[in-house]
Amino acid sequence: MAGSVGTGRVAPRSSPKRYNGMDPPLSLTRPTMFDLQKTAELEKFLVEAGLYESEEQSAKREEVLREIDGIVKEWVKQLTSQKGYSEQMIEKANVVLFTFGSYRLGVHGPGADIDILCVGPSYVNREEDFFVTLHGILTQLEEVTELQPVPDAHVPLMKFKFHGMAIDLLYASVSLAVIPPDFNISEGSVLCGVDESTVRSLNGCRVADQILRLVPNVENFRTTLRCLKYWAERRGVYSNVTGFLGGVNWAILVALICQLYPNAVPSMLVSRFFRVFTQWQWPNPVMLCAIENDDLGFSVWDPRKNPRDRSHVMPIITPGYPCMNSSYNVSSSTLRVIKEQFKLGNKICQQEIDLNKASWTALFEPFNFFEAYTKYLVVDIVADNDDDLRLWKGWVESRLRQLTLKIERDTNGMLQCHPYPCDYSNPTLQCAHCSFYMGLSRKEGMKIHGQNFDIRGTVDEFMHEIGMYTLWKSGMDLAVTHVRKKQIPYYVFEQGYKKPCPPMHANQQEQSDRHDTEDDTLTASMLGQLKRKRDFDGAGHSESCKSVKRSSVSLAYEESPPEYGSIVSKVVSENTVNLVSSALCNGVQNGLSHGDVNLESANCSSSPHGSEESAASGTSCAAVETVHMVVETVGPESSMACVINGTVQTMAVHTPLKCVAEKDEPKFEGIGSLANSNSAEFMEQTEMLTGNVLGENMHLCE
């Protein structure tokens, strides 16, 4: 089985390979005793954090891979027989499994899923043979649970658990009647005669292999990548689906740092990572090698030719043909968050860890998302059972990025969203539900006193798109709410209650006090602000937008942990499945008005699309035009606006970033700022297809 057994093990320490990047290294400095000591401390920290799995767990992964390999091989032989091929053809029928993602790169941890690509012959297709026949076989296996086909995804796949281990299984049909056991997926010929979807499926494995070939020291790369993935998870910026960076994005970024500092050990690479990308001039692209052109006709990333590529704000280009932007999900809002976290990581490394003033623990402190903003959007999801919730939640989560983009679009980028890549559920509710949170802030440097943003239409458009879900079932429901920081429920906090805030700068404290004063005017009866809610019919069409009162938010926090159930209002419902929906619809008879959110009385009329409980009583809470969702935003408590004489001054600072490396390496390190306004101009000026892109983005200090 190609690319699977043994790919997750750490390679033995070896000397750096010949440099294979686009440009010469920025530094060839070798580690000092201090660097080696810090690396040992970092590796010890990663082990104690539980980021490495045991030998027993590794053996279980390999056994799972062998079992799945046997299942798909038997599947393709059955199909070959059913399609009427000869006995000789049936005997030769074969598929080959390749792993990719964190397992292929050797940076997976306990409980991580296994990404598997199944490469099959040309006569076995994805639409019927994979998603119908193989799906039917898997449903009959006791060891397979939580089977979820996702045929409409950007990269079609089936998700399931095998002996409790999470599996993402892809399928690619190549232009061969018989797949040889030693099939080489890295050859360019495998892309002949396949469609775009198959190319994307094949690229996961091809990119992983290419990354491992392009880094000078695989072991140092793996340790550094494992460290930075953990950091990204702790800081809330690890999630491709919500608009941040996923596994392949982090792998390419780390691989570039390994190329620039081929002799560096992980402690040095982590510090250089933050130093380089704090100063990187986006949207200049990150690339590990020159972009290849081929005669196969597939589109490659090139903003000169492809208008869509010009809108990418943080291009991270995959190595190997066809080169693609792996970070197309990043928006201006999420890029702002990523850059802020890079700056903070750089500050901790440069001012604390590198000076031996702090341990590695300081770098991995979790991000206090629910303290960073004063206002949030909450997306509540409910379904009849856990299986339906898994499907419904996956669909809604995949569309959250669109809500961020729509808010940016409809407010001209003035209102920015920070989607948090974690979901939460209320432990006191015994029904299938979860919630996502999005922090709201005005764009830094653009604060205008008294400005409101009406995002009713934006939320309605988002709800309509959610309603297009083709696998919708009765009981799947959704609601979007605008809440203040003090209304955040207790169960989202790590210890079940709000932690004391660290000391603030005087200006930040003044700003926070001002916002808290505004929020303190809310009474308990006004905690149910505004919720946009839709019920959907079986065809996936939205029936109507419903205004409801949020009755399941927490009251003001106490210093000690509150008792479970003391914060959530009681909802009388015999059907626990509809408990959340009932709570959302409770008490809409009276109109409320406060500050920037207005909720006037709503009419209740009969509706065939209301919740089962509402339908049982003959009524459904229908929305009326008087519902207003106008969000007067304030920036994160950690940010300050620049206001001069009542007007906004946008401060654009472009500082030449020369000689930013450590003092003993001035001749090798330095990052030059680029004046290019977009990646299209960057590509034109550097002749990307034949020249050295990185040479323009990073130059040597004199």
Side-chain angles (χ1 to χ4, degrees), residues 195-216:
D195 57 20
E196 293 279 356
S197 182
T198 301
V199 171
R200 290 192 293 268
S201 298
L202 292 167
N203 248 16
C205 303
R206 290 163 56 86
V207 167
D209 289 345
Q210 186 75 340
I211 290 174
L212 292 175
R213 281 194 292 266
L214 289 172
V215 295

Side-chain angles (χ1 to χ4, degrees), residues 615-656:
S617 62
T619 62
S620 177
C621 304
V624 292
E625 292 299 325
T626 54
V627 176
H628 301 284
M629 188 170 186
V630 185
V631 182
E632 179 184 358
T633 65
V634 293
E637 293 180 351
S638 60
S639 63
M640 295 293 294
C642 179
V643 183
I644 302 178
N645 296 329
T647 62
V648 177
Q649 302 294 322
T650 303
M651 302 177 65
V653 180
H654 300 285
T655 304

Side-chain angles (χ1 to χ4, degrees), residues 458-505:
T458 308
V459 173
D460 285 343
E461 182 181 349
F462 168 73
M463 302 288 274
H464 177 74
E465 291 185 1
I466 294 295
M468 304 297 288
Y469 185 45
T470 57
L471 299 178
W472 183 90
K473 297 180 181 179
S474 176
M476 293 180 176
D477 207 351
L478 175 77
V480 178
T481 312
H482 161 234
V483 300
R484 298 176 185 270
K485 181 173 68 175
K486 289 191 174 182
Q487 297 171 255
I488 300 297
Y490 71 95
Y491 52 81
V492 305
F493 295 95
E494 187 173 348
Q495 302 298 329
Y497 60 96
K498 189 176 180 181
K499 295 182 179 180
C501 297
M504 294 183 179
H505 186 277

